[in-house]
Amino acid sequence: MFGPLWLRVATVLTGALISPLALASPPGHFAEQQIRHIATYYPGRMSGSPAELMAADYLRQQFSALGFKTNTRQFNTGYHWQEEDGSLRWHKLTATSVIAAQAGSVPQEILIVAHLDTWTPQNSSESHRNLGGLRLQGVDDNASGLGVMLELAQQLSRKPLHYGVRFVALSAGESALHGMEDYVERMSQREKQNTLLVVDLNSLITGERLYFDSGVNTPLPVRKQTRDRALSLARQLGIAAATHRQNPKGLNAFDSAGFPLLDVTASSGTPGSKEGEPQRHRSRHFPEGTTRHQTDRDNLSYLDRWLPGQITQRTRDCVSVLLPLLSELTNPRV
């Protein structure tokens, strides 16, 4: 179904072609600016909310300014709200995603995805515990993925590509809203055939190290050219990075559909561990999962206080690995 990416991607590092203007800013600087802007001005980016719609429009403008062919896509979905008596009430919503593409010299392309929405409370207990809602800045989950995506787009827009890139700020990416499934279902057969790789960026700030995980259905040669290459680049740069023996997130819609997948996230899990194995925690303020969906923790004030410099370091690390990796993949040496 997919082109033989591994036959055309070199195993040598090729530096990204960055303009002199870009060299004035260190890797990750633009990503951090975008993370802070999105978190500050668009909190409560729940699917179907006004905040999500405004954030989507902001992202569309950013991609357009970089010269990408950009559009928004809406679809209808919803979720079950659980009342205090246990009964379920269906909430309908219209989610908005942003899609930006730059064509290469051939039809094949790499898809880079980061979910746009923040957590939507689904019962009164979650609301009372400040899980999701209108005040959640969602710095880690997932302004971080959006910010890194925008810097990668900024840098890749400055040079011609052999394989194209398509960036998707995906709405309804949170649990049970099926945004990813909807995107896959609406891909044409030609789009599916021309997608060489999917890179999923999610929750990149908290956690001891970056994790690069391949999808279950990703062929071994592609794993070597993506996951293993990312780990090699990280080692060269002295960046703490690892992989799980089994992706703890399980199958997502792209993986289930057979697309080669590189999942990028940050975690405090033990390197090489499987889901459910013991986890080592960075500190009492950040045991595994404690910022997830939590309004009082996944925000700039809390993260800057308890992990000073972490946003700067992690955006730098992400861009320092992913930019040369994507430069190799989009412009391989034959």
Side-chain angles (χ1 to χ4, degrees):
M1 176 178 177
F2 304 101
L5 173 65
W6 56 90
L7 295 179
R8 300 190 291 267
V9 177
T11 57
V12 296
L13 174 62
T14 58
L17 302 179
I18 303 176
S19 71
L21 179 62
L23 291 173
S25 298
H29 179 72
F30 182 70
E32 180 176 359
Q33 286 182 319
Q34 293 297 323
I35 290 168
R36 292 183 179 277
H37 182 90
I38 292 167
T40 299
Y41 291 101
Y42 308 108
R45 302 179 300 279
M46 297 174 289
S47 292
S49 68
E52 183 202 53
L53 193 59
M54 290 188 292
D57 186 61
Y58 172 76
L59 292 168
R60 181 190 60 77
Q61 293 180 49
Q62 293 297 304
F63 282 119
S64 295
L66 292 172
F68 285 84
K69 182 180 179 181
T70 308
N71 62 76
T72 56
R73 176 184 294 177
Q74 294 187 319
F75 69 98
N76 296 321
T77 183
Y79 63 97
H80 283 105
W81 172 267
Q82 186 176 33
E83 304 286 1
E84 293 188 2
D85 62 4
S87 62
L88 299 176
R89 179 160 50 92
W90 180 249
H91 273 240
K92 296 189 294 183
L93 58 88
T94 300
T96 304
S97 299
V98 181
I99 303 170
Q102 178 175 323
S105 58
V106 296
Q108 289 79 23
E109 63 183 12
I110 293 173
L111 182 62
I112 302 166
V113 180
H115 76 81
L116 165 61
D117 55 316
T118 53
W119 181 252
T120 301
Q122 298 182 19
N123 54 60
S124 57
S125 174
E126 290 187 349
S127 294
H128 294 155
R129 289 183 287 134
N130 287 323
L131 297 180
L134 295 173
R135 297 187 299 107
L136 175 60
Q137 287 190 341
V139 177
D140 186 38
D141 187 18
N142 188 35
S144 63
L146 297 173
V148 170
M149 171 188 281
L150 284 170
E151 180 158 342
L152 294 174
Q154 179 196 57
Q155 298 295 342
L156 292 173
S157 70
R158 292 177 165 142
K159 63 174 183 173
L161 303 174
H162 181 68
Y163 298 121
V165 289
R166 184 176 299 268
F167 293 92
V168 179
L170 187 70
S171 181
E174 285 290 6
S175 176
L177 293 178
H178 306 296
M180 192 174 288
E181 290 88 342
D182 177 85
Y183 185 88
V184 171
E185 289 174 2
R186 293 169 66 172
M187 293 177 74
S188 68
Q189 190 59 35
R190 176 175 292 183
E191 287 175 329
K192 292 178 179 179
Q193 291 174 343
N194 286 337
T195 300
L196 298 173
L197 174 72
V198 178
V199 181
D200 189 12
L201 308 174
N202 188 26
S203 298
L204 302 173
I205 304 302
T206 63
E208 290 183 344
R209 58 185 60 82
L210 287 171
Y211 277 80
F212 298 91
D213 295 316
S214 293
V216 172
N217 292 314
T218 303
L220 180 59
V222 180
R223 294 183 184 210
K224 291 181 178 179
Q225 296 295 341
T226 56
R227 179 198 63 190
D228 295 353
R229 183 62 180 139
L231 293 172
S232 175
L233 288 167
R235 284 194 297 271
Q236 292 176 29
L237 296 167
I239 294 170
T243 190
H244 297 95
R245 292 201 303 270
Q246 176 180 318
N247 191 338
K249 296 180 181 178
L251 287 170
N252 69 25
F254 289 110
D255 199 3
S256 297
F259 291 96
L261 175 68
L262 177 64
D263 186 89
V264 185
T265 191
S267 172
S268 295
T270 303
S273 67
K274 293 182 180 179
E275 184 178 18
E277 291 185 353
Q279 305 287 305
R280 294 189 295 109
H281 304 324
R282 181 182 178 89
S283 75
R284 67 185 180 87
H285 299 290
F286 287 93
E288 186 73 11
T290 54
T291 62
R292 184 171 174 80
H293 306 155
Q294 294 196 22
T295 300
D296 59 348
R297 295 196 175 192
D298 194 5
N299 62 71
L300 292 169
S301 177
Y302 189 90
L303 293 173
D304 285 339
R305 178 182 181 186
W306 295 111
L307 288 179
Q310 179 83 347
I311 297 175
T312 301
Q313 177 185 329
R314 192 52 56 74
T315 52
R316 181 180 65 242
D317 290 350
C318 287
V319 173
S320 295
V321 172
L322 290 172
L323 182 57
L325 177 66
L326 288 170
S327 297
E328 292 180 0
L329 295 175
T330 54
N331 283 306
R333 292 180 179 178
V334 179

